[in-house]
Amino acid sequence: MALAGAAFAASPDLVDALNAVRASGCSGRAGVTPPLRENVQLSEAARRSTGPAFNDALAAAGYRANRSLLIRVSGTANTAPVVELLKREYCAQLLDSAYSDVGIHRQLRETRIILAAPFLPPPAQAADAVALRVLQLVNQTRERPRTCGTTRFPAARPLLLNDLLSRASLAHAADMAQYDYFAHEGRDGSSPADRLTRAGYGWRTVGENIAAGPTTPESVVEGWIQSPQHCENLMAPQFREMGVAYAVNRASKAGIYWVQVLGSKR
């Protein structure tokens, strides 16, 4: 975006001005909370963002984002016209509550602004609570009829958590996170059924859902619902139990890996 090079009066600090817009709203949209927090690493990424390799700039600055947006405004060194352009052209993004961090670099008559949702995976000590929340969401999904792709499924009975299934889930999630890959087949060539047998679960039927990148139970289950094959696993009436686990490796491509194993005993 470019602005004409007219002279403008001095205006408040840009972060404060952006947060004023965020609080009051723009273009007929209501304001949101909380305010944006200025992040030093994001500001460094904005400084480095001189070419098309925006993700490289984030990585070089040491900032990992779930979502991010780079906005460039040229033609003025003053805050007021920059804010007016953002209100007009980027109102929805300014009011997106998923964006909580902001980085800014101003040089001569160019301003670079990065809005970001930071990568905030659940801590390892939250694993039990996360598993219970995934179970709740999955059972809410199963309690009513649903179409997965082109296949219509009736409501299905709720699943139960099983420790052996969770153990198999964690083993595969940790392996994907450590070795930075994403596949149902393990590095040793194992299938989900192989891993269940290895965990000591005498299975009759087996299914597996995996995901990479989501950081909340809600986002991972919603992703599975929107994918026909994963949705079919969620709704399959033959499954009676499930296990779920996640593993985090910030140096890996996705950052966090999820595995849900579904089964029924012999």
Side-chain angles (χ1 to χ4, degrees):
M1 286 292 172
L3 292 169
F8 295 94
S11 56
D13 172 79
L14 183 51
V15 174
D16 290 341
L18 294 179
N19 279 327
V21 174
R22 190 169 166 95
S24 61
C26 52
S27 300
R29 300 171 183 259
V32 297
T33 55
L36 295 166
R37 304 182 300 262
E38 187 168 13
N39 181 281
V40 173
Q41 291 171 306
L42 270 188
S43 294
E44 172 61 14
R47 185 188 71 81
R48 291 171 176 267
S49 298
T50 57
F54 173 42
N55 288 334
D56 291 345
L58 286 174
Y63 187 96
R64 181 157 201 140
N66 270 353
R67 292 170 49 196
S68 58
L69 173 70
L70 172 64
I71 303 170
R72 287 188 174 94
V73 180
S74 60
T76 180
N78 295 304
T79 295
V82 172
V83 173
E84 286 304 311
L85 184 144
L86 294 177
K87 287 169 61 176
R88 186 173 64 251
E89 302 291 341
Y90 293 95
C91 175
Q93 290 84 351
L94 282 178
L95 302 184
D96 187 340
S97 58
Y99 290 130
S100 59
D101 289 354
V102 62
I104 297 172
H105 179 71
R106 311 186 80 170
Q107 184 174 7
L108 300 176
R109 296 166 67 82
E110 181 182 52
T111 300
R112 301 180 206 137
I113 300 167
I114 298 177
L115 302 176
F119 175 68
L120 295 173
Q125 58 266 32
D128 290 345
V130 169
L132 287 172
R133 178 58 176 157
V134 172
L135 177 69
Q136 179 186 41
L137 293 168
V138 169
N139 283 335
Q140 287 174 359
T141 301
R142 288 170 66 89
E143 70 183 10
R144 60 181 63 88
R146 185 175 300 273
T147 299
C148 301
T150 59
T151 304
R152 182 70 174 173
F153 286 86
R157 70 175 65 182
L159 301 173
L160 300 174
L161 274 181
N162 179 281
D163 287 342
L164 293 178
L165 297 183
S166 292
R167 188 182 305 170
S169 298
L170 180 58
H172 189 47
D175 197 63
M176 289 194 294
Q178 180 177 354
Y179 294 100
D180 201 4
Y181 72 98
F182 184 62
H184 290 287
E185 182 177 318
R187 290 182 306 113
D188 58 359
S190 62
S191 68
D194 294 331
R195 293 188 289 273
L196 272 196
T197 299
R198 189 182 299 161
Y201 185 89
W203 55 270
R204 178 165 57 86
T205 55
V206 178
E208 184 180 78
N209 286 339
I210 59 177
T215 55
T216 65
E218 291 76 12
S219 58
V220 73
V221 173
E222 182 60 28
W224 288 334
I225 291 171
Q226 296 304 318
S227 167
Q229 290 183 327
H230 295 85
C231 178
E232 289 177 11
N233 277 342
L234 295 183
M235 294 301 297
Q238 66 267 30
F239 295 133
R240 297 288 185 263
E241 299 175 306
M242 63 162 271
V244 66
Y246 58 89
V248 176
N249 177 4
R250 290 177 177 272
S252 65
K253 183 176 181 180
I256 181 171
Y257 297 81
W258 299 76
V259 177
Q260 178 195 36
V261 177
L262 306 108
S264 59
K265 293 176 181 175
R266 285 198 298 266

